[in-house]
Short mmCIF file of all heavy atoms in Angstrom, two decimals:
data_model
loop_
_atom_site.label_atom_id
_atom_site.label_comp_id
_atom_site.label_asym_id
_atom_site.label_seq_id
_atom_site.Cartn_x
_atom_site.Cartn_y
_atom_site.Cartn_z
N THR Q 1 67.74 -16.88 103.49
CA THR Q 1 68.32 -18.17 103.78
C THR Q 1 68.20 -19.04 102.55
O THR Q 1 67.34 -18.75 101.71
CB THR Q 1 67.65 -18.95 105.01
OG1 THR Q 1 66.27 -19.15 104.68
CG2 THR Q 1 67.78 -18.10 106.29
N LYS Q 2 69.08 -19.98 102.41
CA LYS Q 2 69.07 -20.81 101.22
C LYS Q 2 69.32 -22.25 101.64
O LYS Q 2 70.01 -22.54 102.63
CB LYS Q 2 70.07 -20.37 100.25
CG LYS Q 2 71.46 -20.26 100.75
CD LYS Q 2 72.37 -19.56 99.74
CE LYS Q 2 73.77 -19.32 100.44
NZ LYS Q 2 74.60 -18.49 99.68
N SER Q 3 68.79 -23.19 100.86
CA SER Q 3 68.93 -24.59 101.08
C SER Q 3 69.00 -25.28 99.74
O SER Q 3 68.21 -25.09 98.88
CB SER Q 3 67.71 -25.13 101.90
OG SER Q 3 67.78 -26.55 101.96
N TYR Q 4 70.01 -26.19 99.65
CA TYR Q 4 70.17 -26.95 98.43
C TYR Q 4 70.82 -28.29 98.74
O TYR Q 4 71.56 -28.30 99.73
CB TYR Q 4 70.92 -26.20 97.33
CG TYR Q 4 72.13 -25.51 97.77
CD1 TYR Q 4 73.39 -26.16 97.81
CD2 TYR Q 4 72.11 -24.20 98.20
CE1 TYR Q 4 74.50 -25.53 98.24
CE2 TYR Q 4 73.23 -23.57 98.63
CZ TYR Q 4 74.47 -24.26 98.65
OH TYR Q 4 75.57 -23.56 99.07
N GLY Q 5 70.50 -29.28 97.97
CA GLY Q 5 71.06 -30.60 98.20
C GLY Q 5 72.53 -30.66 97.80
O GLY Q 5 73.07 -29.66 97.23
N PRO Q 6 73.20 -31.84 98.02
CA PRO Q 6 74.61 -31.97 97.69
C PRO Q 6 74.89 -32.00 96.19
O PRO Q 6 75.96 -31.82 95.73
CB PRO Q 6 74.94 -33.22 98.34
CG PRO Q 6 73.69 -34.02 98.50
CD PRO Q 6 72.66 -32.97 98.65
N GLU Q 7 73.83 -32.24 95.41
CA GLU Q 7 73.99 -32.31 93.95
C GLU Q 7 74.21 -30.87 93.41
O GLU Q 7 73.60 -29.92 93.86
CB GLU Q 7 72.76 -32.88 93.26
CG GLU Q 7 72.25 -34.18 93.82
CD GLU Q 7 71.24 -34.03 94.91
OE1 GLU Q 7 71.08 -32.93 95.43
OE2 GLU Q 7 70.64 -35.05 95.35
N ALA Q 8 75.14 -30.79 92.42
CA ALA Q 8 75.36 -29.43 91.89
C ALA Q 8 74.15 -29.04 90.96
O ALA Q 8 73.73 -27.84 90.95
CB ALA Q 8 76.63 -29.48 90.98
N ARG Q 9 73.59 -29.98 90.28
CA ARG Q 9 72.41 -29.70 89.46
C ARG Q 9 71.39 -30.76 89.63
O ARG Q 9 71.70 -31.95 89.80
CB ARG Q 9 72.78 -29.65 88.01
CG ARG Q 9 73.76 -28.50 87.68
CD ARG Q 9 73.71 -28.14 86.23
NE ARG Q 9 74.63 -27.07 85.93
CZ ARG Q 9 74.36 -25.80 86.07
NH1 ARG Q 9 73.18 -25.40 86.55
NH2 ARG Q 9 75.25 -24.89 85.78
N GLY Q 10 70.11 -30.35 89.60
CA GLY Q 10 69.02 -31.38 89.65
C GLY Q 10 68.50 -31.66 91.03
O GLY Q 10 67.42 -32.24 91.09
N GLY Q 11 69.17 -31.32 92.06
CA GLY Q 11 68.64 -31.54 93.41
C GLY Q 11 67.71 -30.47 93.86
O GLY Q 11 67.58 -29.42 93.25
N ALA Q 12 66.99 -30.66 95.03
CA ALA Q 12 66.07 -29.71 95.48
C ALA Q 12 66.84 -28.44 95.88
O ALA Q 12 67.94 -28.48 96.43
CB ALA Q 12 65.28 -30.28 96.67
N CYS Q 13 66.21 -27.36 95.71
CA CYS Q 13 66.88 -26.01 95.96
C CYS Q 13 65.74 -25.01 96.35
O CYS Q 13 64.73 -25.04 95.75
CB CYS Q 13 67.59 -25.54 94.72
SG CYS Q 13 68.43 -24.05 94.88
N ARG Q 14 66.06 -24.21 97.36
CA ARG Q 14 65.09 -23.19 97.76
C ARG Q 14 65.83 -22.03 98.37
O ARG Q 14 66.93 -22.12 98.81
CB ARG Q 14 64.01 -23.71 98.65
CG ARG Q 14 64.43 -23.71 100.10
CD ARG Q 14 63.21 -23.95 101.00
NE ARG Q 14 63.51 -23.64 102.32
CZ ARG Q 14 63.62 -24.56 103.25
NH1 ARG Q 14 63.40 -25.77 103.07
NH2 ARG Q 14 63.95 -24.16 104.54
N SER Q 15 65.19 -20.80 98.28
CA SER Q 15 65.64 -19.60 98.88
C SER Q 15 64.46 -19.01 99.59
O SER Q 15 63.38 -18.83 98.98
CB SER Q 15 66.18 -18.74 97.76
OG SER Q 15 66.66 -17.51 98.40
N ASP Q 16 64.63 -18.68 100.89
CA ASP Q 16 63.59 -18.10 101.65
C ASP Q 16 63.97 -16.62 101.93
O ASP Q 16 65.10 -16.39 102.41
CB ASP Q 16 63.34 -18.84 102.94
CG ASP Q 16 62.56 -20.12 102.72
OD1 ASP Q 16 61.37 -20.02 102.58
OD2 ASP Q 16 63.20 -21.15 102.74
N ILE Q 17 63.14 -15.72 101.71
CA ILE Q 17 63.38 -14.32 101.95
C ILE Q 17 62.27 -13.78 102.91
O ILE Q 17 61.11 -13.89 102.58
CB ILE Q 17 63.38 -13.45 100.67
CG1 ILE Q 17 64.38 -13.96 99.69
CG2 ILE Q 17 63.67 -11.99 100.97
CD1 ILE Q 17 63.86 -14.96 98.71
N ILE Q 18 62.70 -13.26 104.09
CA ILE Q 18 61.80 -12.64 105.02
C ILE Q 18 61.92 -11.18 104.87
O ILE Q 18 63.04 -10.61 104.91
CB ILE Q 18 62.13 -13.04 106.47
CG1 ILE Q 18 62.31 -14.55 106.62
CG2 ILE Q 18 61.17 -12.42 107.47
CD1 ILE Q 18 61.03 -15.29 106.67
N ILE Q 19 60.88 -10.47 104.62
CA ILE Q 19 60.82 -9.00 104.34
C ILE Q 19 59.87 -8.36 105.40
O ILE Q 19 58.75 -8.82 105.56
CB ILE Q 19 60.29 -8.74 102.92
CG1 ILE Q 19 61.19 -9.50 101.92
CG2 ILE Q 19 60.35 -7.23 102.66
CD1 ILE Q 19 60.58 -9.56 100.55
N CYS Q 20 60.41 -7.22 106.03
CA CYS Q 20 59.63 -6.62 107.02
C CYS Q 20 60.04 -5.11 107.11
O CYS Q 20 61.19 -4.84 106.91
CB CYS Q 20 59.88 -7.34 108.36
SG CYS Q 20 58.76 -6.78 109.66
N ARG Q 21 59.17 -4.22 107.44
CA ARG Q 21 59.48 -2.84 107.77
C ARG Q 21 60.16 -2.74 109.10
O ARG Q 21 60.99 -1.91 109.34
CB ARG Q 21 58.23 -1.94 107.71
CG ARG Q 21 57.78 -1.62 106.34
CD ARG Q 21 58.45 -0.38 105.84
NE ARG Q 21 57.97 -0.04 104.55
CZ ARG Q 21 58.75 0.32 103.58
NH1 ARG Q 21 59.97 0.50 103.72
NH2 ARG Q 21 58.24 0.62 102.43
N GLY Q 22 59.67 -3.57 110.09
CA GLY Q 22 60.28 -3.50 111.41
C GLY Q 22 61.38 -4.54 111.60
O GLY Q 22 61.98 -4.99 110.65
N GLU Q 23 61.60 -4.91 112.86
CA GLU Q 23 62.66 -5.90 113.17
C GLU Q 23 62.17 -7.29 112.83
O GLU Q 23 61.02 -7.63 112.93
CB GLU Q 23 62.94 -5.83 114.73
CG GLU Q 23 63.70 -4.58 115.13
CD GLU Q 23 64.05 -4.66 116.55
OE1 GLU Q 23 64.21 -5.78 117.09
OE2 GLU Q 23 64.28 -3.64 117.14
N ILE Q 24 63.14 -8.05 112.38
CA ILE Q 24 62.85 -9.47 112.10
C ILE Q 24 63.39 -10.30 113.28
O ILE Q 24 64.60 -10.32 113.39
CB ILE Q 24 63.46 -9.91 110.70
CG1 ILE Q 24 62.94 -9.07 109.59
CG2 ILE Q 24 63.31 -11.37 110.56
CD1 ILE Q 24 63.59 -9.28 108.24
N ASP Q 25 62.55 -10.87 114.01
CA ASP Q 25 63.06 -11.49 115.24
C ASP Q 25 62.89 -13.03 115.18
O ASP Q 25 63.26 -13.72 116.12
CB ASP Q 25 62.34 -10.99 116.48
CG ASP Q 25 60.80 -11.07 116.41
OD1 ASP Q 25 60.29 -11.63 115.42
OD2 ASP Q 25 60.17 -10.58 117.32
N ALA Q 26 62.31 -13.56 114.09
CA ALA Q 26 62.19 -15.06 114.03
C ALA Q 26 62.30 -15.43 112.55
O ALA Q 26 61.76 -14.85 111.67
CB ALA Q 26 60.83 -15.45 114.49
N LEU Q 27 63.20 -16.44 112.31
CA LEU Q 27 63.43 -16.92 110.97
C LEU Q 27 62.67 -18.19 110.71
O LEU Q 27 62.36 -18.54 109.60
CB LEU Q 27 64.98 -17.13 110.76
CG LEU Q 27 65.80 -15.89 110.89
CD1 LEU Q 27 67.29 -16.23 110.68
CD2 LEU Q 27 65.37 -14.86 109.88
N ALA Q 28 62.43 -19.00 111.78
CA ALA Q 28 61.78 -20.24 111.55
C ALA Q 28 60.31 -20.20 111.99
O ALA Q 28 59.94 -19.31 112.77
CB ALA Q 28 62.49 -21.31 112.34
N GLY Q 29 59.59 -21.20 111.50
CA GLY Q 29 58.22 -21.30 112.01
C GLY Q 29 57.19 -20.52 111.20
O GLY Q 29 55.97 -20.66 111.54
N THR Q 30 57.52 -19.72 110.23
CA THR Q 30 56.58 -19.07 109.51
C THR Q 30 56.32 -19.80 108.16
O THR Q 30 57.28 -20.36 107.54
CB THR Q 30 57.03 -17.62 109.13
OG1 THR Q 30 58.24 -17.63 108.34
CG2 THR Q 30 57.24 -16.81 110.35
N GLU Q 31 55.11 -19.93 107.76
CA GLU Q 31 54.70 -20.42 106.50
C GLU Q 31 54.90 -19.37 105.40
O GLU Q 31 54.60 -18.26 105.67
CB GLU Q 31 53.35 -21.00 106.49
CG GLU Q 31 53.11 -22.21 107.39
CD GLU Q 31 53.80 -23.42 106.86
OE1 GLU Q 31 53.90 -23.64 105.63
OE2 GLU Q 31 54.35 -24.20 107.68
N PRO Q 32 55.35 -19.69 104.22
CA PRO Q 32 55.46 -18.64 103.13
C PRO Q 32 54.13 -18.04 102.76
O PRO Q 32 53.13 -18.76 102.59
CB PRO Q 32 56.12 -19.38 102.08
CG PRO Q 32 56.06 -20.85 102.34
CD PRO Q 32 55.79 -20.99 103.76
N ASN Q 33 54.08 -16.76 102.67
CA ASN Q 33 52.92 -16.04 102.12
C ASN Q 33 52.95 -16.21 100.64
O ASN Q 33 51.93 -16.17 99.98
CB ASN Q 33 52.96 -14.56 102.41
CG ASN Q 33 53.14 -14.32 103.92
OD1 ASN Q 33 54.25 -14.12 104.35
ND2 ASN Q 33 52.06 -14.23 104.66
N ILE Q 34 54.15 -16.33 100.05
CA ILE Q 34 54.31 -16.36 98.60
C ILE Q 34 55.29 -17.55 98.31
O ILE Q 34 56.24 -17.74 98.93
CB ILE Q 34 54.97 -15.10 98.07
CG1 ILE Q 34 54.04 -13.95 98.34
CG2 ILE Q 34 55.32 -15.27 96.61
CD1 ILE Q 34 54.69 -12.56 98.17
N LEU Q 35 54.81 -18.40 97.39
CA LEU Q 35 55.62 -19.59 96.94
C LEU Q 35 55.73 -19.53 95.43
O LEU Q 35 54.77 -19.37 94.70
CB LEU Q 35 54.90 -20.91 97.39
CG LEU Q 35 55.48 -22.19 96.96
CD1 LEU Q 35 56.93 -22.32 97.50
CD2 LEU Q 35 54.66 -23.38 97.36
N VAL Q 36 57.01 -19.69 94.99
CA VAL Q 36 57.30 -19.82 93.60
C VAL Q 36 57.96 -21.15 93.34
O VAL Q 36 58.91 -21.52 94.02
CB VAL Q 36 58.28 -18.67 93.16
CG1 VAL Q 36 58.63 -18.83 91.66
CG2 VAL Q 36 57.67 -17.32 93.37
N CYS Q 37 57.39 -21.91 92.40
CA CYS Q 37 57.94 -23.30 92.11
C CYS Q 37 58.26 -23.31 90.60
O CYS Q 37 57.44 -23.16 89.74
CB CYS Q 37 56.88 -24.31 92.40
SG CYS Q 37 56.52 -24.50 94.14
N LEU Q 38 59.56 -23.56 90.38
CA LEU Q 38 60.06 -23.60 88.98
C LEU Q 38 60.19 -25.04 88.45
O LEU Q 38 60.59 -25.24 87.33
CB LEU Q 38 61.43 -22.95 88.89
CG LEU Q 38 61.49 -21.43 89.23
CD1 LEU Q 38 62.85 -20.90 88.96
CD2 LEU Q 38 60.46 -20.67 88.37
N SER Q 39 59.83 -25.98 89.33
CA SER Q 39 59.90 -27.38 88.91
C SER Q 39 58.84 -28.23 89.60
O SER Q 39 58.34 -27.83 90.69
CB SER Q 39 61.28 -28.02 89.25
OG SER Q 39 61.42 -28.18 90.58
N GLN Q 40 58.51 -29.40 89.00
CA GLN Q 40 57.48 -30.29 89.66
C GLN Q 40 58.00 -30.78 90.99
O GLN Q 40 57.28 -30.87 91.95
CB GLN Q 40 57.20 -31.44 88.71
CG GLN Q 40 56.09 -32.33 89.25
CD GLN Q 40 54.74 -31.58 89.23
OE1 GLN Q 40 54.29 -31.14 88.13
NE2 GLN Q 40 54.14 -31.47 90.33
N GLN Q 41 59.34 -31.07 91.05
CA GLN Q 41 59.96 -31.58 92.31
C GLN Q 41 59.72 -30.56 93.40
O GLN Q 41 59.44 -30.94 94.53
CB GLN Q 41 61.45 -31.83 92.02
CG GLN Q 41 62.17 -32.29 93.33
CD GLN Q 41 63.69 -32.49 93.02
OE1 GLN Q 41 64.21 -31.94 92.06
NE2 GLN Q 41 64.35 -33.16 93.93
N ALA Q 42 59.97 -29.26 93.04
CA ALA Q 42 59.82 -28.21 94.07
C ALA Q 42 58.36 -28.06 94.55
O ALA Q 42 58.08 -27.91 95.72
CB ALA Q 42 60.34 -26.92 93.54
#
């Protein structure tokens, strides 16, 4: 899933990737195990 503000550049932006060997039955409600931040704002 992806989320970004209405600004073309400079606004908050994120991409969430859920990875599993089995079925993925929930997209919301999980805290990230891994977080990558490329900016102070993020």
Side-chain angles (χ1 to χ4, degrees):
T1 60
K2 54 190 172 187
S3 172
Y4 46 89
E7 307 91 350
R9 297 202 180 274
C13 180
R14 84 168 194 247
S15 180
D16 285 281
I17 302 94
I18 308 284
I19 304 167
C20 189
R21 281 272 182 223
E23 290 185 23
I24 299 172
D25 57 4
L27 298 179
T30 62
E31 292 292 324
N33 309 93
I34 297 167
L35 176 62
V36 177
C37 294
L38 299 182
S39 70
Q40 186 67 58
Q41 178 185 17

